[in-house]
Amino acid sequence: MTEKQGTPDQLPAEKGQGGAGATYKLAVFEFENFRGQKVELSGECKDVLEKTQRVGSVIVESGPWVGFERPGFAGEQFVLEKGEFPRWSTWTNCQSSNILSSFRPLKVDSAAHKLHLFENAGFEGRNMEIVDDDVPSLWAHGFQDRVASAKAISGTWVGYRYPGYRGPQYVFEHGDFKQWNAWGATAPQIQSVRRVRDMQWHKKGLSTL
């Protein structure tokens, strides 16, 4: 099939995304394995389906990015770091959705990563501090699966509803999240978290309080 080149979105990434001089580039393809109509993005796109009928595969040349199930950055979230995603199962293991409709660059404010998770809304109750590490199971580190609020002190993170980085994804950019709907969840449940990064940082471990 002849490839049709879409017009790239030239919106610049917001100040602070990825540091000075950061660039973002992502290409979506209509079909799996990078076939069919191609649309290139270099900034946020509220509705990529205005440019192509569907998204079957993705290549991230520079990022990271987050894709959304619905237009306007709504619905399920899918973190897309640098690399190739030849079919929908490579950007999610959640069976609830295989649709990508909107994209935006992820803010990366620091090479260091620090995240506070709290049992209750409003930063109350038992809490866990994670510093420069990925955690495939909160239970394994003595913390429960109920996470109702969070503070992303530095770096960018992605949380998952289930252990082993499985299930619905939730993005934590720098800032405070007073309750679970602030990160797009329908319930206060997270069981694994990892750093979003393009480099390998030094691991400093974690602690529960």
Side-chain angles (χ1 to χ4, degrees):
M1 180 175 293
T2 302
E3 180 183 278
K4 290 173 62 181
Q5 179 75 35
T7 302
D9 281 354
Q10 296 299 337
L11 295 175
E14 294 180 11
K15 183 179 180 181
Q17 293 181 346
T23 59
Y24 291 82
K25 189 173 181 181
L26 174 148
V28 302
F29 297 81
E30 185 179 5
F31 302 118
E32 292 184 357
N33 297 313
F34 321 116
R35 296 179 297 110
Q37 183 178 6
K38 177 183 179 182
V39 177
E40 292 185 340
L41 304 176
S42 57
E44 67 177 32
C45 178
K46 292 183 178 180
D47 190 358
V48 76
L49 301 183
E50 292 180 345
K51 304 172 183 292
T52 183
Q53 291 187 351
R54 65 187 299 272
V55 176
S57 50
V58 178
I59 295 177
V60 178
E61 293 189 23
S62 57
W65 294 72
V66 57
F68 295 84
E69 176 189 12
R70 298 199 296 270
F73 317 124
E76 293 278 354
Q77 305 170 40
F78 307 96
V79 172
L80 302 166
E81 292 166 285
K82 185 176 180 180
E84 296 185 349
F85 303 84
R87 61 191 59 83
W88 74 271
S89 58
T90 57
W91 63 74
T92 178
N93 51 34
C94 182
Q95 302 295 321
S96 63
S97 177
N98 62 353
I99 299 172
L100 285 174
S101 300
S102 52
F103 298 85
R104 68 171 177 84
L106 272 176
K107 299 176 183 177
V108 180
D109 72 318
S110 172
H113 286 73
K114 187 174 183 179
L115 178 70
H116 285 176
L117 303 177
F118 297 83
E119 178 184 14
N120 300 323
F123 318 117
E124 299 291 337
R126 196 157 174 263
N127 67 89
M128 179 178 187
E129 179 183 88
I130 307 169
V131 180
D132 286 341
D133 207 355
D134 299 333
V135 183
S137 171
L138 299 186
W139 279 101
H141 291 279
F143 198 71
Q144 73 283 330
D145 63 349
R146 178 182 170 85
V147 178
S149 57
K151 292 187 177 185
I153 307 301
S154 58
T156 301
W157 300 77
V158 54
Y160 297 81
R161 183 177 295 178
Y162 305 122
Y165 317 120
R166 296 179 297 108
Q169 304 176 27
Y170 311 112
V171 172
F172 296 92
E173 292 168 294
H174 177 74
D176 293 348
F177 302 81
K178 292 184 178 181
Q179 57 185 19
W180 62 91
N181 61 8
W183 60 76
T186 57
Q189 183 181 24
I190 290 177
Q191 296 190 48
S192 53
V193 297
R194 70 174 181 84
R195 298 160 290 174
V196 177
R197 61 201 191 279
D198 289 323
M199 298 180 180
Q200 294 293 325
W201 311 118
H202 296 294
K203 298 176 69 174
K204 296 183 180 178
L206 52 88
S207 63
T208 54
L209 303 175

